[in-house]
Amino acid sequence: MLLVVDAGNTNIVFAVHDGREWRGAWRISTNDQRTSDEYAAWLLALIDRSGLSPRCVTRAIIGTVVPAALYHLRRLCREWLDVEPLIANTALEWGYPLKVDTPSEVGVDRRLNGLAAQHFFGGPLVVVDFGTATTFDVVDEEGAFCGGAIAPGVNLSLEALHQAAARLPRISVGRPSSAIGRNTSVAMRSGLFWGYVGLVEGIVSRIALEMATPIKVIATGGLAPLFSEGTDLFQHVAPTLTLDGLRLLAARNDPGELIPAPG
């Protein structure tokens, strides 16, 4: 089985794929001080509880936007799983070009989203990723990554609002029952939810205008299913898109693996 590790700014997702389907996925908060032994005690217990065996993990790939976390994640693979992980970086063969000014500045998560979206859905398209930041990743009709836009993430905006305004409470993200909030919490939830729906629709419409062609719009990230309820903009909601990008990248860089067919 393949272990994929997607280390983001807020959470790290570990998932295993048996070549046909995802067999398990587990999430832990990102902490660059967490050691490989701590990861192992947590992850191996979860793998075992899922009816799988850590011995079945024969390959691994790590993608991270938190460089400080890489050392211990790599040690986890080497010392506890006895595999040498691939690292998602520019040294690997990605299979598609980057039409941007500075390719080294493009976050690996954005490149993985572009890789998986192009493979499964074909360009031209834009991927909206509701993560720590809300990112818009554009792939043209030739399959090249063309850049996009980056906005503050939903939870980041929510926390900033609570921290900056003394009388505003900390609330959870959710779709409000009405746009007009008759108390502070509902008013905040309305502003956050419908504000982000408007942000996404507005940026995507401008991207489509600049591309001058109809585009597919793909949503991913933990909050994608929630925000897809507020708009008919998205043709596909793909919660595992970044994980699939890692899986495709591993297959492309392993001579013994076949790249999965689209669909």
Side-chain angles (χ1 to χ4, degrees):
M1 290 192 300
L2 170 69
L3 172 71
V4 303
V5 184
D6 173 24
N9 288 298
T10 303
N11 293 304
I12 302 178
V13 180
F14 297 80
V16 290
H17 197 278
D18 65 4
R20 298 181 303 276
E21 62 183 357
W22 294 107
R23 297 290 301 276
W26 309 277
R27 185 179 302 261
I28 192 171
S29 60
T30 301
N31 178 353
D32 58 20
Q33 299 302 308
R34 188 173 280 118
T35 69
S36 57
D37 295 344
E38 290 174 301
Y39 283 125
W42 172 82
L43 178 61
L44 301 187
L46 288 172
I47 291 177
D48 183 69
R49 188 162 185 171
S50 298
L52 305 172
S53 169
R55 292 190 300 274
C56 294
V57 175
T58 57
R59 300 160 54 242
I61 184 168
I62 300 170
T64 180
V65 296
V66 185
L70 179 58
Y71 173 76
H72 291 293
L73 291 171
R74 186 180 294 188
R75 285 194 65 183
L76 164 71
C77 295
R78 289 173 172 172
E79 297 180 1
W80 289 93
L81 298 172
D82 198 28
V83 296
E84 181 63 34
L86 288 171
I87 309 301
N89 56 30
T90 55
L92 298 185
E93 170 56 47
W94 288 75
Y96 71 101
L98 273 69
K99 295 181 179 178
V100 297
D101 293 339
T102 313
S104 61
E105 291 182 356
V106 180
V108 67
D109 53 341
R110 300 182 64 199
R111 293 193 65 175
L112 291 166
N113 285 343
L115 173 64
Q118 191 275 337
H119 177 81
F120 289 114
F121 307 113
L125 59 83
V126 57
V127 178
V128 184
D129 189 344
F130 294 92
T132 304
T134 301
T135 58
F136 301 76
D137 304 320
V138 179
V139 175
D140 68 16
E141 58 193 9
E142 298 174 350
F145 182 92
C146 299
I150 303 174
V154 177
N155 285 310
L156 191 64
S157 296
L158 188 61
E159 186 62 23
L161 189 62
H162 168 69
Q163 293 289 342
R167 299 192 63 183
L168 294 182
R170 180 181 281 110
I171 64 168
S172 60
V173 181
R175 181 174 181 173
S177 56
S178 64
I180 301 173
R182 303 191 185 280
N183 60 60
T184 299
S185 294
V186 176
M188 290 175 66
R189 189 168 287 115
S190 175
L192 188 78
F193 183 85
W194 294 115
Y196 266 86
V197 169
L199 179 146
V200 169
E201 291 179 337
I203 291 179
V204 169
S205 68
R206 288 181 177 273
I207 289 172
L209 188 63
E210 289 184 16
M211 295 186 74
T213 184
I215 60 173
K216 306 179 187 76
V217 187
I218 317 301
T220 192
L223 292 175
L226 172 66
F227 280 92
S228 69
E229 297 175 5
T231 178
D232 58 3
L233 181 68
F234 303 117
Q235 282 80 50
H236 303 279
V237 177
T240 64
L241 196 66
T242 311
L243 299 178
D244 282 317
L246 283 164
R247 179 171 63 94
L248 290 166
L249 187 62
R252 182 173 291 278
N253 287 270
D254 185 338
E257 278 292 309
L258 295 175
I259 297 176

